[in-house]
Amino acid sequence: MKSLVFLGCSQSGSSKDAIEAAKRLGFTTALLTDRHGFLHRRDDFPYVDRMVLVDLKDPWRVEEQVRSLIEEGLDVSAVVSFTDAHVREAARLSRKLGMPYQTVEAIERMQDKIILRECLREAPYSVPFQIVKAHHEVPSLTLDLPIVVKSPRSTGSKDVLFAASRSEFERHVAGLRARYPDGDVLVEAYVPGTQYLVEAVVHQGQVYVAAIVEQVVTFGQRFIVTGYSLRPSIPWKLAAAVEDMVTDICQRTGMKTGAFHTEFRWSGGGCRVIEVNPRISGAAMNRLIEHAYGFNLAEQTLRSLFGDTPDVSPRNSKCVYACYLTVNKSGYLKKVTGRRRARRVSGVREVFIKPRKNAYLTPPLSMGKRYAYVIAEADTERQARAAAEKAASHIRFHLRSGKTRRKGAVARKRRS
């Protein structure tokens, strides 16, 4: 039987959905992971036929393990990954082994934010930017304030910092230099406007837009997306601009096969790119699209890899909203209450709680610190959002400090 080897997986989200999709497509599945806990919770992964512990940061070890699986008789059709950390290595290794692969060079261009900005420099949807070199003692600022300061390798809002003053700019640059001593720093103009995300699949050089999702962004210490809204119809001007933008991104980066998503803001009647990532969005995005439009984007991405034209035509016509929850204090999780009440709210389709008992929770400094979500659907966007937020208001994370028990901290449903 044909097999797929997956590099890395989260305990939930699109990377998990992709392995489940592979099973539905008739593949046996092998997961190479560096998370020891997964092997101890093997029953949590019934869709994984073979799980192997390996250092995913060591390309030689990964390749050795894949070749070992092949020598044992596993009929490996491809090496794939739906996680940011391993998508490039999966594509590189699959190409080296003569198997279907996502365009390696395009992944590399998208993952380095400075290289990506250079690729998009002349594009109408790009934003003004500058590069602060690693070893320049006094950073100069040539852009108008406010600005956004980034590490070129940041993901999930980590190391993405807002600066409204010269002193904030200098402080953020110093902080990133301390963390990444030999790395340059990317500085971009801050663009106001409604934020969106577009999911796309590239098949034989042709771009297929799977979803345009409006985002609700909460600005605290980081830019954290706490709400996603999908609707059955998109204004034609926005849809046309997005189609032109993603097609141009595909051409400029050289993407021929694979999936990518672009975050952008609709500003001044046009798109302005925030970032591009060479994979499906993580967390609940695949589930959200399936609830809204009736197709599984992870499955369509795998089908495309093996030559089938992706079918991303909507089957449903409902408005769907996902509301994410964070905490406003740090502590160890004692318990979560309100799940049943949340599920009973009319229109709610899914309630997911990520952390386990005794996990240490913190306020969000990255997208990975969102600890639960609720997905709801309705006939209108307003109704879907109201249902999701009502359900989310019932969910409470009860925390204790590291030394003494105290009143539980309540999960804060952040609003834009």
Side-chain angles (χ1 to χ4, degrees):
M1 184 178 291
K2 298 290 186 180
S3 303
L4 289 185
V5 176
F6 287 83
L7 303 190
C9 175
S10 299
Q11 67 183 45
S12 62
S14 299
S15 60
K16 167 181 171 289
D17 294 346
I19 304 180
E20 293 179 338
K23 289 292 291 182
R24 288 195 303 273
L25 292 172
F27 291 98
T28 60
T29 57
L31 172 63
L32 305 191
T33 181
D34 52 7
R35 301 178 67 170
H36 291 76
F38 281 15
L39 277 76
H40 299 307
R41 302 197 308 272
R42 190 65 178 83
D43 291 344
D44 291 348
F45 302 88
Y47 43 86
V48 175
D49 297 306
R50 181 84 175 268
M51 188 181 293
V52 181
L53 186 66
V54 65
D55 182 2
L56 294 177
K57 294 180 181 178
D58 186 336
W60 185 86
R61 293 287 184 190
V62 172
E63 181 175 342
E64 182 184 49
Q65 186 58 63
V66 173
R67 290 187 182 277
S68 177
L69 291 173
I70 294 172
E71 289 172 3
E72 290 174 18
L74 206 64
D75 187 5
V76 177
S77 296
V79 182
V80 296
S81 182
F82 282 69
T83 67
D84 186 81
H86 310 301
V87 63
R88 186 189 70 83
E89 177 57 23
R92 185 201 66 79
L93 183 53
S94 204
R95 180 175 67 178
K96 183 176 181 178
L97 296 174
M99 302 170 181
Y101 60 92
Q102 183 169 326
T103 311
V104 179
E105 294 78 10
I107 295 174
E108 293 171 343
R109 293 182 185 111
M110 290 180 180
Q111 285 191 323
D112 188 307
K113 297 185 186 303
I114 289 178
I115 293 176
L116 177 68
R117 281 296 174 198
E118 294 290 359
C119 285
L120 307 184
R121 181 184 287 273
E122 303 302 325
Y125 49 80
S126 187
V127 299
F129 70 95
Q130 71 172 91
I131 301 165
V132 177
K133 292 296 183 180
H135 302 296
H136 287 187
E137 291 187 9
V138 180
S140 61
L141 179 62
T142 61
L143 300 175
D144 293 333
L145 293 164
I147 54 172
V148 178
V149 183
K150 297 180 177 180
S151 162
R153 302 293 295 183
S154 67
T155 60
S157 293
K158 296 188 294 291
D159 304 320
V160 177
L161 306 162
F162 178 82
S165 67
R166 172 77 191 210
S167 61
E168 283 185 314
F169 159 69
E170 292 177 350
R171 185 170 70 250
H172 293 331
V173 170
L176 290 177
R177 282 177 166 176
R179 190 171 304 171
Y180 311 105
D182 296 320
D184 296 338
V185 174
L186 176 63
V187 183
E188 299 172 351
Y190 174 78
V191 179
T194 304
Q195 185 161 313
Y196 291 89
L197 177 148
V198 54
E199 295 282 354
V201 181
V202 186
H203 180 73
Q204 297 179 358
Q206 176 68 42
V207 183
Y208 295 82
V209 174
I212 300 173
V213 187
E214 185 174 340
Q215 297 178 308
V216 175
V217 180
T218 298
F219 178 65
Q221 296 185 62
R222 298 291 189 277
F223 297 93
I224 304 297
V225 180
T226 51
Y228 296 86
S229 180
L230 275 76
R231 55 183 74 92
S233 61
I234 301 295
W236 71 266
K237 186 177 180 180
L238 172 62
V242 167
E243 185 81 34
D244 290 343
M245 177 183 67
V246 295
T247 299
D248 191 58
I249 290 172
C250 178
Q251 293 172 350
R252 289 174 184 268
T253 59
M255 179 68 80
K256 301 295 182 184
T257 301
F260 70 93
H261 69 270
T262 302
E263 288 184 294
F264 67 96
R265 289 204 167 171
W266 185 252
S267 180
C271 300
R272 297 293 181 269
V273 167
I274 297 172
E275 66 177 40
V276 182
N277 292 295
R279 55 178 173 79
I280 297 174
S281 298
M285 184 53 64
N286 188 67
R287 301 286 298 148
L288 185 63
I289 292 172
E290 191 164 16
H291 283 295
Y293 299 145
F295 62 84
N296 187 299
L297 183 56
E299 180 178 321
Q300 294 302 321
T301 300
L302 291 175
R303 286 182 178 276
S304 172
L305 189 65
F306 291 100
D308 293 338
T309 301
D311 183 0
V312 293
S313 54
R315 284 75 150 167
N316 301 335
S317 59
K318 290 283 188 179
C319 293
V320 178
Y321 190 89
C323 180
Y324 277 79
L325 288 89
T326 62
V327 295
N328 53 19
K329 293 182 180 180
S330 298
Y332 292 93
L333 181 61
K334 293 193 296 183
K335 63 179 179 179
V336 181
T337 59
R339 279 179 278 203
R340 291 183 181 178
R341 292 182 66 190
R343 291 189 179 105
R344 288 198 293 265
V345 173
S346 178
V348 168
R349 293 294 171 261
E350 195 169 329
V351 176
F352 176 76
I353 309 296
K354 180 180 177 181
R356 295 169 180 261
K357 185 177 180 181
N358 294 323
Y360 188 70
L361 311 189
T362 64
L365 292 179
S366 72
M367 303 282 250
K369 300 303 181 182
R370 302 177 299 178
Y371 295 117
Y373 67 76
V374 175
I375 297 177
E377 70 174 38
D379 292 330
T380 68
E381 181 182 7
R382 178 177 294 181
Q383 291 170 337
R385 179 169 182 169
E389 292 183 342
K390 180 179 178 181
S393 70
H394 294 309
I395 298 172
R396 294 173 180 264
F397 293 99
H398 299 267
L399 308 179
R400 61 176 174 81
S401 66
K403 295 180 180 179
T404 59
R405 290 182 178 272
R406 60 181 182 179
K407 271 191 173 183
V410 177
R412 179 171 60 185
K413 172 169 59 61
R414 296 175 172 252
R415 298 176 182 269
S416 60

